[in-house]
Amino acid sequence: MPGTTVDVTTADGVADAYLARPDGEGPFPAVLFYMDAFGLRPHLTAMADRLAASGYVVLVPNVFYRAGRTPLFDLPDFIDAASRPSLFEKIIPVMQSLTLAGLMSDANAYLRYLADSPLTVDGPVGITGYCMGAGIALRTAGTYPHRVAAAAGFHAANLASEAPDSPHLVAGSVTAELYFAHADQDAAMPVEQIERLEKALTAAGVTHRCEVYEGAHHGYTQSDTSAYNAEAAERHWTELLALFSRTLS
């Protein structure tokens, strides 16, 4: 079925979001989909539609809603290397305005929206996140462990830095099964951070798998950008659907 735009009431306002659902009456398992820095746009709604076609109700919130409704940025149809600098001049200040407290308050609202929907089954949800969304996915799994059954992150940025609020520090609170797929040509997630994340998840006893996709760049799932890698993107779909098949009823 075609997706729809919905509004999610948060503690700080109203977040616009895209909601995709399978055909049929349901109810269906729920998935929270965290966007990358380029924001909610046709490519992400197409990804949500593909995920919904596999049997999930998918919510893709505009994480930047405090700065405005979608579309927030004037994006070209194809984001190449030449267009990135001018885009990020606009995007980075909005990213920097996000706070951990605000993001986790919003996460509560998104999870509540999915739990209250007549389209969804009772029980914990799955989460998938891309680029900056992968860190939000991990934080959400650690902040609301009883409400998240599985979380995945793809071409994440700074998941395990030395910052005092680095996402990997929530590992001890996570009960979900996790899957992370890094790009081997990604300065935003260097080897030392990959190793630090793996060590933290293992020490916490988290069921997880971390992989590095060879030949992939940061953003490899995003077909509307020059970073897209078709082979890596399809591998991501295989792993993501397998994770949700194992963990979501």
Side-chain angles (χ1 to χ4, degrees), residues 6-17 19 30-32 34 59-63 65-66 100-117 120 125 127 136 140 143-144 147-148:
V6 298
D7 286 341
V8 180
T9 300
T10 74
D12 293 332
V14 176
D16 56 302
L19 185 72
V31 171
L32 176 56
Y34 280 123
L59 182 70
V60 192
N62 170 21
V63 173
Y65 73 90
R66 291 175 181 82
L100 179 55
L103 288 169
M104 290 303 95
S105 175
D106 294 344
N108 180 52
Y110 305 145
L111 293 170
R112 185 180 63 246
Y113 180 92
L114 288 169
D116 290 345
S117 172
T120 63
V125 309
I127 305 178
I136 305 173
T140 302
T143 303
Y144 303 103
R147 299 163 72 179
V148 181

Side-chain angles (χ1 to χ4, degrees), residues 2 15 21 56 86 119 129 176-177 188 194 216 221 236:
R21 56 162 295 182
Y56 304 98
S86 60
L119 298 173
E177 180 177 344
I194 293 174
T221 63
H236 130 270

Side-chain angles (χ1 to χ4, degrees), residues 98-201:
L98 298 174
T99 66
L100 179 55
L103 288 169
M104 290 303 95
S105 175
D106 294 344
N108 180 52
Y110 305 145
L111 293 170
R112 185 180 63 246
Y113 180 92
L114 288 169
D116 290 345
S117 172
L119 298 173
T120 63
V121 299
D122 292 334
V125 309
I127 305 178
T128 185
Y130 301 85
C131 302
M132 72 168 197
I136 305 173
L138 177 54
R139 293 184 192 278
T140 302
T143 303
Y144 303 103
H146 301 300
R147 299 163 72 179
V148 181
F154 300 91
H155 43 84
N158 295 312
L159 279 186
S161 71
E162 295 182 348
D165 61 349
S166 175
H168 79 288
L169 297 176
V170 305
S173 300
V174 172
T175 59
E177 180 177 344
L178 303 182
Y179 177 80
F180 290 102
H182 312 294
D184 71 341
Q185 300 179 49
D186 189 351
M189 193 65 191
V191 172
E192 58 268 23
Q193 289 203 38
I194 293 174
E195 293 175 347
R196 188 179 293 128
L197 175 64
E198 175 69 36
K199 188 176 296 184
L201 296 177

Side-chain angles (χ1 to χ4, degrees), residues 48-75:
D49 290 343
R50 179 169 175 176
L51 190 50
S54 294
Y56 304 98
V57 172
V58 185
L59 182 70
V60 192
N62 170 21
V63 173
F64 295 151
Y65 73 90
R66 291 175 181 82
R69 294 179 68 89
T70 303
L72 192 57
F73 309 113
D74 184 18
L75 299 175

Side-chain angles (χ1 to χ4, degrees), residues 228-249:
Y228 180 65
N229 180 304
E231 182 179 354
E234 286 306 309
R235 183 176 173 186
H236 130 270
W237 281 115
T238 298
E239 295 294 349
L240 181 63
L241 292 174
L243 173 67
F244 289 162
S245 177
R246 289 193 300 272
T247 56
L248 302 181
S249 58

